[in-house]
Amino acid sequence: MTIKPLLIKFKQNFRWFRVPLKQYKPDGTTFKDITRQTILDEDLPGLNFSPRYFEIKAGGYSSLEKHQHVHVVFVLRGKGRVLLGAEVKEVAPFDCLYIPPDTWHQFQPLGKKTLGLLCFVDKDRDRPQLPSADDLEELRQNEAVEKFIKA
Amino acid sequence: MTIKPLLIKFKQNFRWFRVPLKQYKPDGTTFKDITRQTILDEDLPGLNFSPRYFEIKAGGYSSLEKHQHVHVVFVLRGKGRVLLGAEVKEVAPFDCLYIPPDTWHQFQPLGKKTLGLLCFVDKDRDRPQLPSADDLEELRQNEAVEKFIKA
């Protein structure tokens, strides 16, 4: 059987043809002003990993979370800051991030422009874990992290 | 044990800091004017897939090949044409390609600019297979494909 290849054309303004704009997550408690595009259907034959494109508007942020699966992230537009374990780093287009298992992370745009992130994950992956009160206390012991995080 | 996160900074001209520019493949018989950057070490903990960045100069081409593992490709720069199964398609920046198992493919730049491709594969993957004389005869039954392929 031949499996059909796919060409997902980029349209403009960081939208792709036939890729719907979705909520970042079903709940809305731990993030702000962020959208998701699942560029490829995760159930495509032979596909063990999945590219998703996230956009965070100025003033917004992704969930502060960790999990066992790895993130590989490429910045596509805008500038941002990211909590990466115990440090806050600045990122710009085409920077690549490896976020290992069990590593706290959160993304925020820097300045007035939207931050756009291409994020790859395993198809089979664990659910993200949010910080407990104890986790937050530990994270906040670092002043730069304390100033940065939204939770 | 804490595993160190990585931020691979984009430098300029589609090079990343501390990422060496390599040959596309060890042999040189089936491709032309193409380079590879392995942006993340494939042996990083928990990493089951790998991002590689390829550049093909005007007049160059990648190997005409197929394999059981999937490619997920994002175009980062330039324009190109790609053999995708039995068809030749045009691609431009931020287009995304899903190349399923057992699907012939080959990339070529279109025009005078370099074509840059971010290509994700499984860490554990089979070796690419080159076309036999019979495969080439079958591929060349389509006139557009015949005109396009270099093998």
Side-chain angles (χ1 to χ4, degrees), chain B residues 70-88:
Chain B
V70 160
H71 278 322
V72 174
V73 176
F74 280 85
V75 178
L76 289 196
R77 69 181 295 195
K79 293 193 172 183
R81 292 196 299 159
V82 54
L83 171 69
L84 202 57
E87 289 183 289
V88 178

Side-chain angles (χ1 to χ4, degrees), chain A residues 94, chain B residues 10-16 19 21 35 37 39 53-55 75-78 94 114 116-117:
Chain A
F94 301 136
Chain B
F10 182 76
K11 201 159 44 175
Q12 58 181 358
N13 296 325
F14 290 86
R15 293 295 308 273
W16 285 260
V19 176
L21 195 66
T35 59
Q37 293 177 68
I39 296 175
Y53 176 73
F54 298 101
E55 279 198 342
V75 178
L76 289 196
R77 69 181 295 195
F94 301 137
T114 294
L117 307 164

Side-chain angles (χ1 to χ4, degrees), chain A residues 59-70:
Chain A
Y61 47 88
S62 64
S63 295
L64 171 54
E65 63 181 41
K66 66 176 186 177
H67 35 67
Q68 289 309 306
H69 61 273
V70 161

Side-chain angles (χ1 to χ4, degrees), chain B residues 94-110:
Chain B
F94 301 137
D95 286 352
C96 173
L97 291 152
Y98 159 72
I99 304 177
D102 210 28
T103 302
W104 293 114
H105 55 281
Q106 181 171 52
F107 288 90
Q108 297 175 23
L110 186 60

Side-chain angles (χ1 to χ4, degrees), chain A residues 3-10 14 16 39-40 44-49 51 70 72 74 76 84-85 87 89-101 103 118 120-122, chain B residues 3-10 14 16 39-40 44-49 51 70 72 74 76 84-85 87 89-101 103 118 120-122:
Chain A
I3 305 161
K4 205 176 144 51
L6 292 175
L7 168 55
I8 312 294
K9 291 293 291 179
F10 183 77
F14 290 86
W16 285 261
I39 297 176
L40 292 177
L44 287 170
L47 192 62
N48 299 317
F49 51 85
V70 161
V72 173
F74 280 83
L76 289 196
L84 202 58
E87 290 183 288
K89 301 272 195 179
E90 288 195 11
V91 294
F94 301 136
D95 286 352
C96 172
L97 291 151
Y98 159 72
I99 304 177
T103 302
L118 196 58
F120 286 75
V121 287
D122 291 327
Chain B
I3 304 161
K4 203 175 146 49
L6 292 175
L7 169 54
I8 312 292
K9 292 293 290 179
F10 182 76
F14 290 86
W16 285 260
I39 296 175
L40 293 176
L44 287 170
L47 191 62
N48 298 318
F49 51 85
V70 160
V72 174
F74 280 85
L76 289 196
L84 202 57
E87 289 183 289
K89 301 271 198 180
E90 288 196 9
V91 295
F94 301 137
D95 286 352
C96 173
L97 291 152
Y98 159 72
I99 304 177
T103 302
L118 197 57
F120 286 74
V121 287
D122 291 327

